[in-house]
């Protein structure tokens, strides 16, 4: 090969290696699509239905703009057109508007917002409605605008409040008489809809022709039943109406900290046809009250006297010094109370696990951490500990969880080493049976001493968990999978492991070696 050809081959190989490394490591020439993305700019209203002439009488009309791709638009001119609502609304005197047009000029625009205050015109007809638009131009961007609907006046429903219910017991029946009134300017002309949400310990009694149950899984807050009742009765401004019969709710065996939520909203379409049976109706009750609840919804909390039994079972495993063993403990919620909605807080059942002396954890469940420190400081790494605190969110009767710990057996581990698992109190007096709140985690050394030189990673034999059938509880429903294996590092968490770096480095080294070899051959040939 001629010398010039060899030099060209060396350069080509080196460039290829550099390109390979750049591709693996995610570097290289930046894509030139940012400028194109910056050519698109959108302007959107914060709300698409607004009301004026209510309380307060004015309304803030807010809009936000954003340039795609995080780019910048230049010489931007934005216009809010109020001509569609000019019969009943106008800009506040403090706004910089000319007639029905309010403009905003920006030398540069990235992402920001602006607001305009509108006030009702004196003597404007209640119920008037129209459209407001926002549009714009830019020297280097295409601007996409938006629109909203503005109405003079609105329907404002309010519902009566109910006192908190304390010291209830399973089997009690509670009644909730409900009133609804309208202190707005517009009637709920097509009627109203009542939504009733209850948690696990409260059972709504009765059925009505105009009410139906709907799935409540998406409601959140541990709501287990949602009922909708439609009333075709118009609710006029200034008038109050009552349910023809109070809501009746029974306190169930699962009750502990529960709530009933109810809300009235205007019907936007015709009420569904009644089914069989007697409908629940609205009865006129005269003028609306001058005070009371200010919202169309209300939540009543129900506090019951009840208990929940949390039981744990331990485990016995065998192993050798220098080897590993696996201990599995079981946590069972035996109810009857549902401990999941203590005044809207997220509730977790805490469990303290102390591993047998002489062992350290090498694999733990995802829901376990080192116990919190007294001063609130970081307790440090998760692995290599001898004690952990585990938690189970929203415990419910029948829940069964398995905690699996893989431990390294130290050289000083005694022949029989015993740790412990126990539940921690989450509410005083909630679990009256302390006899099953803790259990032993026992490790027995197998005969024959240490594990020797090549079997430290093998699991030791294991016994049957206390209180469970043969084979342990590893397959129990609701078991918790183990956490990260020993030796995992930060590269494993980033999604960019050492394998790709090593591959890239190898490729670079290979290309460099080839370049040196070709160079030497070239010098030898000359």
């Amino acid at each position: 090969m001629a010398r010039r050809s060899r030099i060209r081959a060396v350069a080509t190989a080196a460039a290829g290696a550099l390109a390979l490394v750049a591709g693996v490591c995610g570097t290289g020439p930046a894509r030139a699509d940012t400028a194109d993305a910056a050519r698109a700019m959108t302007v959107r209203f914060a709300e698409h239905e607004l009301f004026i002439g209510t309380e307060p009488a004015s309304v803030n009309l807010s809009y936000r703009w954003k340039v795609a791709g995080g780019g910048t638009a230049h010489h931007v001119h934005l216009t809010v057109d109020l001509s569609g609502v000019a019969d009943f609304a106008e800009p506040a005197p403090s706004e910089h508007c000319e007639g029905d047009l309010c403009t905003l000029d920006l030398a540069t625009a990235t992402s920001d917002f602006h607001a305009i205050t509108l006030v009702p015109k004196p003597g404007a007809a209640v119920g008037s409605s129209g459209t407001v638009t926002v549009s714009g131009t830019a020297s280097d961007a295409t601007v996409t605008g938006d629109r909203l609907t503005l109405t003079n006046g609105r329907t404002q429903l309010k519902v009566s409040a109910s006192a908190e219910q304390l010291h209830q017991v399973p089997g009690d029946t509670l009644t909730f008489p409900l009133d609804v009134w309208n202190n707005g300017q517009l009637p709920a002309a097509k009627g109203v809809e009542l939504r009733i949400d209850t948690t696990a310990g409260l059972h709504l009694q009765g059925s009505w022709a105009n009410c139906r149950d709907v799935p409540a899984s998406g409601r959140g807050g541990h709501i287990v039943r949602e009922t909708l009742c439609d009333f075709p009765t118009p609710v006029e401004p200034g008038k109050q109406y009552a349910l023809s019969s109070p809501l009746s709710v029974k306190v169930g065996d699962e009750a502990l900290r529960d709530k009933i939520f109810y809300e009235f909203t205007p019907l936007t379409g015709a009420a569904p046809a009644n089914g069989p049976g007697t409908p629940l109706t609205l009865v006129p009750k005269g003028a609306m009250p001058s005070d009371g609840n200010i919202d169309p919804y209300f939540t009543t909390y129900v506090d019951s006297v009840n208990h929940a039994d949390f039981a744990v079972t331990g485990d016995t495993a065998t192993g050798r010094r220098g080897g590993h063993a696996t201990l599995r403990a079981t946590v069972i919620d035996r109810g009857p109370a549902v401990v999941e909605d203590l005044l809207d807080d997220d509730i977790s059942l805490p469990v303290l696990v102390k591993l047998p002396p002489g062992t350290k954890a090498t694999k733990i469940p995802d829901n376990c951490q080192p116990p919190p420190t007294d001063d609130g400081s970081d307790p440090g790494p998760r692995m290599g500990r001898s004690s952990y605190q585990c938690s189970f969110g929203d415990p419910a009767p029948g829940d069964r969880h398995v905690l699996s710990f893989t431990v390294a057996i130290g050289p000083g581990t005694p022949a029989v080493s015993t740790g412990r698992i126990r539940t921690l109190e989450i509410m005083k007096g909630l679990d009256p049976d302390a006899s099953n709140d803790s259990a032993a985690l026992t490790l027995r050394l197998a005969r024959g001493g240490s594990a020797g030189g090549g079997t430290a990673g093998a699991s030791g034999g294991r016994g049957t968990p206390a209180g469970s059938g043969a084979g342990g509880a590893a397959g129990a429903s609701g078991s918790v999978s183990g956490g990260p294996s020993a030796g995992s590092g930060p590269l494993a968490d980033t999604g960019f492991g050492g394998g790709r770096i090593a591959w890239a480095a190898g490729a670079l080294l290979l290309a460099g070696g080839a370049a040196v070899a070709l160079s030497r051959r070239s010098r030898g040939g000359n």
Side-chain angles (χ1 to χ4, degrees):
M1 179 184 293
R3 181 176 182 274
R4 183 172 300 174
S5 298
R6 292 190 182 99
I7 293 175
R8 186 180 298 114
V10 170
T12 300
L18 289 173
L20 176 62
V21 173
V24 171
C25 296
T27 62
R31 294 181 60 186
D33 57 358
T34 304
D36 292 337
R39 299 179 189 276
M41 177 177 173
T42 56
V43 187
R44 293 287 181 266
F45 285 116
E47 298 180 75
H48 289 88
E49 185 177 24
L50 292 175
F51 300 90
I52 199 170
T54 59
E55 295 180 5
S58 62
V59 64
N60 287 325
L61 188 156
S62 178
Y63 58 94
R64 177 177 293 277
W65 58 88
K66 182 178 181 180
V67 180
T72 302
H74 299 84
H75 308 294
V76 176
H77 180 77
L78 301 178
T79 302
V80 175
D81 188 346
L82 304 174
S83 59
V85 297
D87 290 343
F88 61 91
E90 60 187 357
S94 59
E95 298 295 343
H96 300 287
C97 303
E98 293 186 6
D100 299 330
L101 302 180
C102 300
T103 59
L104 180 66
D105 292 307
L106 303 167
T108 60
T110 54
S111 177
D112 208 340
F113 73 96
H114 185 68
I116 299 172
T117 300
L118 302 182
V119 296
K121 284 187 174 181
V126 174
S128 300
S129 184
T131 301
V132 180
T133 63
V134 60
S135 58
T137 60
S139 63
D140 54 358
T142 300
V143 181
T144 302
D146 200 8
R147 62 178 55 217
L148 64 78
T149 300
L150 180 67
T151 302
N152 186 26
R154 71 182 306 174
T155 303
Q156 291 183 302
L157 300 178
K158 311 296 180 185
V159 67
S160 55
S162 298
E164 183 179 15
Q165 304 293 315
L166 303 176
H167 311 300
Q168 304 301 313
V169 296
D172 285 351
T173 299
L174 308 174
T175 57
F176 299 92
L178 298 187
D179 296 340
V180 60
W181 61 92
N182 182 0
N183 72 341
Q185 299 78 26
L186 299 177
K190 297 181 179 180
V192 294
E193 182 176 75
L194 169 62
R195 189 182 104 206
I196 308 165
D197 290 347
T198 51
T199 50
L202 300 179
H203 305 283
L204 184 64
Q205 303 296 292
S207 60
W208 303 273
N210 58 324
C211 299
R212 63 197 184 278
D213 288 342
V214 296
S217 58
R219 298 300 320 166
H222 312 298
I223 297 299
V224 298
R225 181 181 179 183
E226 179 177 329
T227 302
L228 298 178
C229 300
D230 297 305
F231 303 89
T233 305
V235 176
E236 300 292 338
K239 300 294 181 63
Q240 181 177 207
Y241 303 78
L243 289 184
S244 56
S245 62
L247 299 180
S248 178
V249 175
K250 184 176 181 180
V251 180
D253 294 337
E254 316 93 327
L256 186 65
R257 298 290 185 270
D258 291 279
K259 62 184 177 182
I260 177 172
F261 171 90
Y262 38 90
E263 178 182 26
F264 281 97
T265 55
L267 279 174
T268 56
N274 285 342
T278 303
L280 188 64
T281 61
L282 289 179
V283 179
K285 197 178 176 181
M288 70 179 186
S290 58
D291 55 10
N293 182 34
I294 62 173
D295 295 308
Y297 53 84
F298 195 80
T299 299
T300 299
Y301 292 96
V302 180
D303 184 352
S304 300
V305 179
N306 207 349
H307 67 276
D309 182 21
F310 301 105
V312 297
T313 58
D315 193 12
T316 299
T318 59
R320 299 177 184 274
R321 295 187 181 96
H324 290 73
T326 299
L327 291 160
R328 294 184 178 92
T330 307
V331 183
I332 304 172
D333 182 350
R334 294 180 175 174
V338 176
V339 187
E340 63 174 9
D341 192 21
L342 299 180
L343 299 181
D344 289 333
D345 292 334
D346 290 329
I347 294 299
S348 296
L349 170 65
V351 175
L352 184 64
V353 176
K354 291 188 176 182
L355 300 175
T359 67
K360 300 291 184 182
T362 60
K363 188 175 182 181
I364 66 175
D366 292 336
N367 60 326
C368 298
Q369 301 289 340
T373 58
D374 293 337
D375 59 1
S377 60
D378 184 4
R382 295 175 72 229
M383 297 301 167
R385 300 300 188 98
S386 59
S387 62
Y388 290 90
Q389 184 168 309
C390 309
S391 61
F392 306 97
D394 297 336
D399 285 356
R400 181 185 181 93
H401 305 275
V402 175
L403 297 174
S404 179
F405 290 85
T406 299
V407 298
I409 305 172
T413 303
V416 178
S417 181
T418 301
R420 204 139 196 95
I421 175 175
R422 66 181 177 92
T423 60
L424 301 178
E425 187 176 64
I426 60 176
M427 192 174 77
K428 188 174 182 61
L430 176 63
D431 185 353
D433 184 3
S435 64
N436 55 17
D437 289 351
S438 66
L441 296 173
T442 303
L443 175 67
R444 300 180 183 275
L445 294 186
R447 296 178 180 178
S450 301
T455 60
S459 295
R462 48 187 311 277
T464 302
S468 64
S477 173
S479 63
V480 181
S481 61
S485 59
S488 61
L491 287 178
D493 295 333
T494 62
F496 193 3
R500 292 177 62 187
I501 295 177
W503 182 60
L508 185 61
L509 182 62
L510 179 63
V516 172
L518 288 172
S519 178
R520 287 178 175 173
R521 288 187 59 190
S522 175
R523 288 197 299 269
N526 290 334

